[in-house]
Amino acid sequence: MVISTILNFIYPPPPSLFTTAMSVVTAASQANAGLSEARGVHLQYSKFTLAANKKVPSRTGMLVLYSPAFLAGLASFAIFPGGGLRFLVLRSAISLHFFKRILEVLFVHKFSGGMGVDSMVLVSFSYFLSTATLIYSQHLSQGLPNPPVDLVYPGIALFLVGMAGNLYHHILLSRLRQEGDGEYRIPTGGLFGRVICPHYFFEAIEFVGISFIAQTVYSCSWTLGVLFYFLGRSHATRRWYTSKFEDFPEDVKALIPYIF
């Protein structure tokens, strides 16, 4: 009964050992990364970059993070032509997400430090592999019975809301300092009065939207893993702010307003 209920919302798993393995590996690795963040073992970017690590300039590192995944999204239109509305919307959403991130790196974010090379390579490869697997999994679902409950249009709505909210809070963060200014301040405006990482909150909404659009086992596994990572990273970020600022508001949560 549980499986039949789940299959109302997702495609049957395709007969692919690769996508099955990736569903497990992606969720487990992201969850482990989130747990590591909560324990104080951080990916080396933003405020958690260690001075002793081999680094590249943050802007360069961020471009390396997002560009391969963006190119994978673009390439998918040539590699898998056609495929119907759902496949078109999915590839467009993924490509748009990473294109937006690249534009933010170039024109919105203010950088002052560096990014650890190891973290840069790891995260860039993770984004690329996840994007390619998400698209490939959708390709394998072509011809399978459609889920009885169609979530494409709710997914589009969630994706657009998440993307707009993420951009808005990135702009608020960018206004806190000038390029090269290494001093951190408590963010204000928007949902910063409720959570310290509203940009993660809205990015999570984006990814839930993408999983609604795709409705595949892998998309759900990927989104679940990202949510675990955001929980750990936002918890670590809140802990960092409370250690640096004595006047940090106690009622400001990490990721989810009023809850966590």
Side-chain angles (χ1 to χ4, degrees):
M1 181 177 178
V2 173
I3 294 177
S4 63
T5 300
I6 293 174
L7 289 177
N8 284 327
F9 297 94
I10 62 173
Y11 283 95
S16 168
L17 179 61
F18 172 74
T19 57
T20 300
M22 282 299 298
S23 296
V24 176
V25 169
T26 298
S29 61
Q30 292 275 26
N32 181 66
L35 184 61
S36 295
E37 292 284 345
R39 289 174 171 173
V41 181
H42 306 296
L43 288 173
Q44 299 299 300
Y45 64 92
S46 185
K47 59 183 66 64
F48 295 113
T49 303
L50 297 176
N53 279 13
K54 186 177 181 181
K55 297 184 293 184
V56 297
S58 289
R59 193 182 306 276
T60 300
M62 287 294 180
L63 288 174
V64 172
L65 251 61
Y66 302 126
S67 296
F70 170 62
L71 293 175
L74 285 186
S76 70
F77 288 96
I79 297 172
F80 302 118
L85 175 65
R86 187 191 300 273
F87 202 12
L88 174 64
V89 172
L90 175 69
R91 289 177 290 176
S92 299
I94 295 170
S95 301
L96 182 59
H97 168 75
F98 286 108
F99 183 58
K100 164 188 162 291
R101 299 297 285 121
I102 291 171
L103 291 179
E104 287 175 336
V105 171
L106 293 174
F107 303 111
V108 176
H109 296 318
K110 303 294 193 304
F111 297 103
S112 60
M115 175 183 294
V117 172
D118 290 349
S119 292
M120 178 190 71
V121 172
L122 177 63
V123 176
S124 180
F125 179 71
S126 174
Y127 281 158
F128 172 80
L129 185 59
S130 296
T131 297
T133 307
L134 193 64
I135 292 170
Y136 181 59
S137 178
Q138 198 69 43
H139 168 69
L140 294 180
S141 298
Q142 304 300 304
L144 295 176
N146 288 322
V149 180
D150 189 345
L151 297 176
V152 169
Y153 292 107
I156 293 173
L158 286 172
F159 174 78
L160 293 176
V161 168
M163 186 169 64
N166 177 260
L167 173 61
Y168 173 67
H169 288 90
H170 278 160
I171 292 173
L172 292 180
L173 283 173
S174 75
R175 291 174 177 172
L176 289 175
R177 56 182 181 171
Q178 299 298 316
E179 190 77 25
D181 178 7
E183 182 180 354
Y184 280 89
R185 301 168 179 85
I186 299 175
T188 58
L191 280 185
F192 280 114
R194 294 286 177 259
V195 292
I196 196 58
C197 294
H199 48 305
Y200 286 172
F201 175 72
F202 280 102
E203 192 166 5
I205 292 175
E206 269 191 82
F207 292 152
V208 171
I210 288 176
S211 69
F212 276 26
I213 293 168
Q215 293 186 246
T216 59
V217 172
Y218 180 77
S219 68
C220 296
S221 171
W222 170 70
T223 298
L224 185 63
V226 169
L227 292 178
F228 276 123
Y229 175 72
F230 282 164
L231 287 170
R233 184 79 177 187
S234 63
H235 174 73
T237 299
R238 186 183 187 280
R239 184 172 57 207
W240 184 90
Y241 273 99
T242 57
S243 70
K244 297 294 182 181
F245 299 96
E246 294 182 359
D247 58 341
F248 185 83
E250 291 187 6
D251 59 340
V252 172
K253 301 296 185 181
L255 181 67
I256 305 171
Y258 305 107
I259 298 175
F260 176 83

